[in-house]
Amino acid sequence: MTEETHRIAKLLARAGIASRREVERMIGDGRVAIDGKVLETPATIIADLKGVTVDGKPVGKPEPPRLFRFHKPPGLLTAERDFSGRPTIYSALRNALPQGTPRLMPIGRLDLATEGLLLMTNDGALKRAMELPSTGIPRTYRARAYGDISQSRLEDLIEGITIDGVQYGRIDANLERKTGRNQWIELSLTEGKNREVRRVLEHLGLEVSRLMRTAYGPFELTDLARGQAAEVKQKEVEYFRKQLMRVG
């Protein structure tokens, strides 16, 4: 039987080192080596991670894919570091996760002012699959907005909308409750383009004062407190991965 081989970037992503794109940058920066020899290309084909080091440290065997729900507070960047010194999600995660938790990567992003559910995983392949628009995983948000809007106008978003030349796909939007000119709106979409919800609502003449993601696929924020994290049961992760593979 022929031994199965993969590109090193894929194996390092599966091992939770970073996403494939980030691993490729690390290789370009000379941070990855095999048996002491610095790699020159991410296209290197290997069977396993034996002898592979990142920043001089050996890479361990890939752990099973794990998934965590994290309630991101507003005011945190979805990034590993910020050169201007602004706080990132990892500042809060250090206190929210138990010791021994592997390095985690965010699935998708929430902008600085947006709060709510941010899924974190140790598996680069799972991260990539869940972020791809082609998998059609719905993201659900609740927005508090000021201005005048009707349910019928929100329903027009089901056909998608173009704003400043950018095409946004189907959005299922519902007016939850209204007090004067303030209202809560629930929106479900599958693309998750940069600042999509804010841009669409602002295009409709609304001023967004609060935005929260409440669900990503079958995983919900529920009553998870701000700044807290909770691991998804392994059997739920495996079931979801199997469903995702069928879609892909």
Side-chain angles (χ1 to χ4, degrees):
M1 182 180 296
T2 304
E3 189 173 25
E4 186 177 10
T5 57
H6 300 278
R7 286 192 174 207
I8 189 170
K10 178 179 180 179
L11 290 183
L12 287 174
R14 286 184 58 191
I17 298 301
S19 67
R20 283 198 206 184
R21 187 175 299 175
E22 290 168 338
V23 167
E24 289 171 358
R25 283 198 290 265
M26 293 166 74
I27 292 172
D29 292 340
R31 297 171 59 189
V32 181
I34 299 180
D35 296 330
K37 183 178 180 181
V38 175
L39 288 189
E40 297 180 354
T41 172
T44 303
I45 305 297
I46 57 175
D48 54 48
L49 293 172
K50 184 178 180 180
V52 177
T53 57
V54 176
D55 296 331
K57 298 178 182 178
V59 178
K61 292 181 180 179
E63 291 190 1
R66 296 171 68 181
L67 195 63
F68 291 77
R69 296 181 300 122
F70 172 57
H71 187 159
K72 175 194 170 296
L76 296 182
L77 286 175
T78 306
E80 188 164 353
R81 63 182 65 87
D82 180 64
F83 295 108
S84 62
R86 291 176 296 178
T88 74
I89 56 171
Y90 290 94
S91 309
L93 281 169
R94 278 193 289 270
N95 298 321
L97 296 169
Q99 286 190 348
T101 302
R103 179 188 181 278
L104 299 177
M105 300 168 283
I107 296 172
R109 291 178 178 269
L110 292 177
D111 65 39
L112 185 68
T114 302
E115 60 186 289
L117 179 65
L118 185 62
L119 294 176
M120 308 289 297
T121 183
N122 65 326
D123 189 278
L126 179 60
K127 167 184 164 69
R128 175 173 169 76
M130 291 186 69
E131 290 175 342
L132 287 173
S134 59
T135 55
I137 300 175
R139 291 89 150 153
T140 303
Y141 296 81
R142 292 184 73 235
R144 184 175 65 196
Y146 176 80
D148 294 315
I149 195 71
S150 65
Q151 178 60 37
S152 61
R153 195 170 179 208
L154 288 173
E155 287 174 0
D156 290 340
L157 296 175
I158 206 74
E159 304 297 332
I161 188 172
T162 300
I163 302 172
D164 296 331
V166 178
Q167 176 65 41
Y168 296 98
R170 171 191 177 103
I171 299 175
D172 185 3
N174 293 286
L175 194 57
E176 286 190 333
R177 67 177 186 267
K178 190 171 184 178
T179 305
R181 298 188 69 200
N182 283 293
Q183 52 259 309
W184 280 97
I185 302 168
E186 184 180 70
L187 307 96
S188 181
L189 49 104
T190 58
E191 286 186 316
K193 289 179 179 175
N194 185 36
R195 297 177 62 84
E196 180 170 351
V197 174
R198 292 184 187 275
R199 286 176 175 165
V200 168
L201 292 182
E202 288 168 2
H203 180 76
L204 296 178
L206 298 173
E207 182 181 339
V208 178
S209 59
R210 188 179 179 191
L211 182 59
M212 174 185 294
R213 183 157 65 195
T214 58
Y216 197 121
F219 308 106
E220 299 181 345
L221 183 64
T222 59
D223 58 353
L224 192 64
R226 274 185 182 179
Q228 296 302 302
E231 185 166 8
V232 178
K233 293 181 179 178
Q234 197 62 41
K235 63 180 181 180
E236 294 179 24
V237 177
E238 288 304 317
Y239 176 79
F240 178 73
R241 286 183 69 234
K242 289 178 182 178
Q243 298 297 109
L244 203 57
M245 289 173 64
R246 291 175 186 172
V247 174

